[in-house]
């Protein structure tokens, strides 16, 4: 598998993006010297087997990997595990500065708590490359930077408590059930909390999102 992506002389440029479900045969790459550009891989389903720091490591769904130029890339995907993956390659004279600002310089494996942004953005990049509509490279750049910001926010996010996750689930329901007259007591019961405790966590973490409770 010989791939050579020359570094861009622009500030930021996406070289390519792709998507695959490994379901017909085992596959993988062996690039001891890596590539000349940066690569993000996101594992949507299944898992991948990567050699990181000289050790074989199984990386499961819900994780992203960020490979830097000339960083070894050795990994395998097995048909029996049916991994679903997507990726994007990028380079440019300002990439190092962007990664430093986003605190991604030393990151390789990044757990993703909510994959909506990274998944939708990489899929949008693929669509833009395929359709090549007017201004598609500007759109591609914007989506790629959105991916990087999402990686940064996931890599620096503090672990959420069980109660925070429960209230977050209620917030997602509010978006789809905004017309229902559900009471605070019903929401609190669903989270297995008292009403005052539920309202406290909601106000501390999610009121700024613009949600209102009845």
């Amino acid at each position: 598998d010989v791939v050579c992506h020359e570094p861009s002389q622009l500030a930021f440029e996406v070289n390519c993006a792709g998507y695959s479900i490994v379901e017909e045969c085992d596959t993988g790459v062996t690039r001891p010297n890596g590539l000349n550009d940066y690569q993000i891989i996101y594992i949507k389903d299944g898992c991948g087997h990567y050699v990181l720091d000289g050790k074989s490591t199984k990386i499961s769904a819900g994780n992203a990997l960020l490979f830097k130029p000339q960083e070894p890339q050795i990994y395998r995907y097995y048909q029996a595990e049916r991994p679903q993956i997507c990726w994007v390659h990028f380079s440019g004279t300002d990439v190092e500065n962007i990664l430093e600002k986003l605190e991604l310089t030393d990151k390789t494996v990044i757990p993703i708590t909510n994959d909506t942004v990274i998944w939708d953005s990489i899929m949008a990049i693929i669509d833009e490359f395929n359709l090549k509509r007017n201004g598609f490279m500007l759109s591609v750049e914007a989506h790629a930077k959105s991916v990087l910001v999402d990686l940064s926010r996931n890599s620096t996010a503090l672990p959420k408590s069980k109660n925070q996750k429960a209230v977050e689930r209620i917030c997602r329901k509010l978006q789809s059930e905004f017309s229902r007259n559900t009471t605070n007591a019903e929401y609190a019961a669903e989270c297995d909390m008292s009403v005052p405790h539920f309202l406290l966590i909601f106000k501390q973490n999610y009121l700024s999102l613009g949600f209102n409770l009845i």
Side-chain angles (χ1 to χ4, degrees), residues 58-132:
K58 180 179 178 179
I59 307 295
S60 58
N63 286 283
L65 297 100
L66 173 59
F67 289 105
K68 286 80 173 180
Q70 284 76 56
E71 186 174 2
Q73 295 186 16
I74 303 172
Y75 50 87
R76 298 289 296 174
Y77 300 116
Y78 297 108
Q79 176 269 336
E81 296 169 331
R82 294 194 82 250
Q84 183 179 4
I85 55 174
C86 61
W87 62 89
V88 58
H89 290 264
F90 60 99
S91 60
T93 59
D94 199 37
V95 171
E96 287 188 20
N97 181 48
I98 292 172
L99 294 181
E100 184 175 354
K101 287 181 178 179
L102 293 175
E103 301 179 25
L104 291 172
T105 303
D106 299 322
K107 299 291 193 307
T108 300
V109 180
I110 303 170
I112 306 297
T113 57
N114 184 337
D115 76 349
T116 301
V117 172
I118 186 170
W119 180 256
D120 289 352
S121 295
I122 295 179
M123 291 299 103
I125 291 171
I126 295 170
D127 285 343
E128 290 288 354
F129 272 124
N130 287 335
L131 297 174
K132 292 182 170 57

Side-chain angles (χ1 to χ4, degrees), residues 14-100:
V14 177
N15 298 325
C16 65
Y19 161 81
S20 178
I21 299 179
V22 180
E23 55 187 355
E24 294 185 358
C25 61
D26 299 345
T27 186
V29 302
T30 301
R31 302 170 182 146
N33 299 316
L35 294 172
N36 292 324
D37 59 4
Y38 293 81
Q39 181 183 22
I40 294 168
I41 299 175
Y42 178 66
I43 306 173
K44 173 76 170 177
D45 287 309
C47 61
H49 300 262
Y50 296 81
V51 176
L52 303 174
D53 296 324
K55 298 179 181 179
S56 180
T57 305
K58 180 179 178 179
I59 307 295
S60 58
N63 286 283
L65 297 100
L66 173 59
F67 289 105
K68 286 80 173 180
Q70 284 76 56
E71 186 174 2
Q73 295 186 16
I74 303 172
Y75 50 87
R76 298 289 296 174
Y77 300 116
Y78 297 108
Q79 176 269 336
E81 296 169 331
R82 294 194 82 250
Q84 183 179 4
I85 55 174
C86 61
W87 62 89
V88 58
H89 290 264
F90 60 99
S91 60
T93 59
D94 199 37
V95 171
E96 287 188 20
N97 181 48
I98 292 172
L99 294 181
E100 184 175 354

Side-chain angles (χ1 to χ4, degrees), residues 161-175 182-188 191 193-214:
S161 68
K162 179 181 178 180
N163 287 344
Q164 285 177 312
K165 291 179 181 178
V167 175
E168 188 175 81
R169 187 173 67 252
I170 295 300
C171 288
R172 289 196 293 269
K173 287 188 66 174
L174 282 168
Q175 290 179 302
T182 307
T183 66
N184 293 340
E186 290 175 297
Y187 286 135
C191 295
M193 302 180 202
S194 67
V195 173
H197 191 198
F198 169 77
L199 291 175
L200 176 63
I201 294 178
F202 181 88
K203 290 177 181 178
Q204 287 176 339
N205 295 278
Y206 306 106
L207 199 58
S208 61
L209 297 178
F211 295 119
N212 293 310
L213 293 176
I214 298 170

